[in-house]
Amino acid sequence: MEIKVLETECGMRECAVALLEKVARATGVLIDITEVTDREEIERLGVTATPAFLIDGSLVHSGGMPTHDQVENWLRGKTPSFLERPTRHLFFTGKGGVGKTSLSTATALALADAGKRVLLVSTDAASNLDEMLGIELRNIPTPVPGAPGMSVLNIDPDTAAESYRRRVLAQMDASASVTDRATVREQLSGACTTEIASFDEFTSLLSDGAGDYDNIVFDTAPTGHTLRLLSLPQAWSGFLSGNDRGASCLGPHSGLKMQEVRFKAAMDTLTDPGQTTVILVARADGSAIAEAARTSEELRTLGLNNQRLVINGVFHASDPDDVVAAAITTLEQQALDEMPTCLQLLPQDRVPLRSFDTVGLSALRALLTVDASPIVSGNVGTEPIEPLPGLDALADELALAEHGLIMVMGKGGVGKTTIAAALALGLIQRGKTVHLSTTDPAAHLVGTVDADVPGLQVDRIDPKLETQRYIDKVMASKSPGLNPQEQALLLEDLRSPCTEEVAVFHAFSKIVNEARSAFVVLDTAPTGHSLLLMDATGAYHRQTLREFGGRGGRLTTPLMRLQDETYTRIILVTLPEVTPVSQAAALQYDLRRAGVEPYAWVINKSVLAAGTHDPLLAARMAGERKQMQRMAGGLAARLFVVPWRATPPIGNLELLKLVN
């Protein structure tokens, strides 16, 4: 095995060589060490931080001294260290688009191949596990063909909610009338019930519902939604403590009080480092790493301290003369060099960028293999594609209206916030007044756009703030007619975690109505969370029509605003990769079922449009070209492209370059 140690400082270089030789002796692996000390030669190899280590020509580490375990993994060709002595429960979480589903699925597959009985669980309403594994996802464990010992389960919100409603209705007295049952079913039709039903299944898996499995691997929704899920055992336990009446917002006879023991058991499992590991997944990207750091701190406040870090998709340019490839390498290394201390202290693995899409068992098995071939064979071609209009053309089209709602939607990590901010600034530049807001719990707007622009209002729907506003409003409206005991009971009910969903929906409805007189650009949460919000919109629409539809006059609900193509323009953002495109297509299908038609698709971060001849990137461009043809072949009514940029589009000056 040929190893190059790149370091100009003598002492550091000697320490690195000594470590390599020590581990090589212990493992019985023959190595040939070459020391590279010339700074120009190091730069020519594309390395910006030393000490750095190349094994058989591939960069495996840079910017610091590796650990003994990391070197042992290199020499033995082991899979990542998080697969060594894993706890029973493994949670993969992180910013949308960092590869949680790929890594969690590859992990479950590796454990099953090692003889374990493994259950892979998706808590993401927008999961693409079905596409990766080639099977239909169900809300019961389903064996994976070709992977003995491995089963997959999808906590589907709609299925879970319907099952929950049936259980509640079954507990009603036999004397209950048809009207009473219909009333209860309607009470249980909102997003609050959907969340509780999903949460109920989740806690069952943590407490007593998966005893037949050696390992349970959770593929979670993007960070904001996952943090809420992991905090719910604590939130519901606190709400139920001393509440003998249960939660009235879940309907009569819900029996939620009986679940208190299960919620406590779930919290005990999550906080036990011997049972649960949280694997924070990030890319070598500043925003993904920053979100991983925030998530790490928030999880610690919940008592989840057994954490690890995986940097996924690490790229190293093979040709330093390729401008695009070199810029990607430089930006990634800068992000890694600036990693917050709280992450540096965590056990860490790095998974290199692969040329292949992680679809199918063979690709998933190769993802975590050290010696997986980085380049696919064959002539992939790098000729330019048919030019597509840019974001400036989309801004021109949107500006033709006098006002309206622009909702930017898509899978987590595709760049919705960037596109929403750029379009808002583009409309300002074209003489419009714009309110830019977000429904995303992760709230990246503040770090993307500078709010000090005439005609631009920037804010967010803050769940905690909106919940308190909603509680204050309800108490002010209803408490005057109640005695002190009844007021205390009302306030107790309003402190239920369900209230947050209702409050966020009311704030969303208010913003939707603002588009009657100005432009509102809404940066939505990742797909699954947004669909729950759409469910709440639909439930409110049905309830409003039932209660007020027959009274005459003009009635307009938020859903009707979204269905009005002259009022609302839905912009679907995707990356030119199979998973984001498939999820955007699924989202479009769900929107159409609700009578909402997307206006346009935006392909973000197109390397093909930027141009490169790096072999690894060129191999990936074959897949990018295929996805562009797929979108242009009927998925998108209008298609716009944003090329990958060497300078990240953060701040107003860079954002404006996208729409000029």
Side-chain angles (χ1 to χ4, degrees), residues 327-396:
I328 293 175
T329 300
T330 299
L331 288 173
E332 288 194 356
Q333 190 58 56
Q334 180 181 348
L336 294 173
D337 291 343
E338 297 173 354
M339 183 183 296
T341 303
C342 66
L343 294 184
Q344 292 181 19
L345 297 175
L346 295 178
Q348 183 182 146
D349 289 286
R350 296 185 184 181
V351 178
L353 181 69
R354 305 300 190 187
S355 62
F356 47 82
D357 287 321
T358 50
V359 176
L361 296 184
S362 60
L364 289 164
R365 285 189 169 107
L367 178 61
L368 299 180
T369 302
V370 173
D371 59 354
S373 175
I375 302 172
V376 295
S377 60
N379 179 22
V380 296
T382 58
E383 66 273 9
I385 61 169
E386 187 70 25
L388 291 172
L391 209 62
D392 56 332
L394 177 56
D396 287 340

Side-chain angles (χ1 to χ4, degrees), residues 85-132:
R85 299 182 297 278
T87 56
R88 183 167 187 256
H89 303 95
L90 298 171
F91 280 87
F92 286 79
T93 188
K95 188 175 186 289
V98 295
K100 297 184 300 295
T101 300
S102 298
L103 288 175
S104 59
T105 307
T107 297
L109 187 57
L111 291 171
D113 288 345
K116 301 291 187 180
R117 295 167 300 171
V118 184
L119 179 63
L120 174 62
V121 181
S122 173
T123 66
D124 190 350
S127 174
N128 67 312
L129 272 175
D130 52 350
E131 186 172 20
M132 281 189 174

Side-chain angles (χ1 to χ4, degrees), residues 50-236:
T50 58
F53 301 80
L54 275 70
I55 296 182
D56 296 331
S58 296
L59 182 70
V60 296
H61 186 84
S62 65
M65 191 67 69
T67 65
H68 184 284
D69 288 343
Q70 285 176 305
V71 175
E72 186 178 346
N73 287 342
W74 302 343
L75 302 189
R76 286 183 173 174
K78 287 184 178 180
T79 51
S81 59
F82 60 78
L83 281 172
E84 298 177 10
R85 299 182 297 278
T87 56
R88 183 167 187 256
H89 303 95
L90 298 171
F91 280 87
F92 286 79
T93 188
K95 188 175 186 289
V98 295
K100 297 184 300 295
T101 300
S102 298
L103 288 175
S104 59
T105 307
T107 297
L109 187 57
L111 291 171
D113 288 345
K116 301 291 187 180
R117 295 167 300 171
V118 184
L119 179 63
L120 174 62
V121 181
S122 173
T123 66
D124 190 350
S127 174
N128 67 312
L129 272 175
D130 52 350
E131 186 172 20
M132 281 189 174
L133 295 173
I135 61 174
E136 181 181 356
L137 294 182
R138 304 173 65 189
N139 67 330
I140 59 174
T142 303
V144 178
M150 177 177 170
S151 297
V152 60
L153 181 155
N154 181 45
I155 299 181
D156 177 68
D158 293 334
T159 303
E162 180 57 28
S163 175
Y164 186 88
R165 281 189 286 268
R166 288 175 180 172
R167 292 201 304 273
V168 172
L169 290 169
Q171 294 174 29
M172 294 184 68
D173 293 337
S175 60
S177 67
V178 174
T179 301
D180 290 338
R181 291 180 178 274
T183 299
V184 171
R185 173 169 282 278
E186 184 59 35
Q187 288 175 339
L188 299 174
S189 65
C192 171
T193 301
T194 301
E195 179 183 69
I196 277 298
S198 298
F199 171 65
D200 190 52
E201 291 197 12
F202 168 68
T203 54
S204 173
L205 292 170
L206 288 175
S207 54
D208 55 11
D212 294 335
Y213 296 96
D214 300 309
N215 295 97
I216 307 173
V217 181
F218 290 88
D219 167 37
T220 70
T223 308
H225 198 262
T226 298
L227 284 172
R228 176 159 172 78
L229 177 70
L230 294 178
S231 68
L232 280 174
Q234 190 177 79
W236 278 110

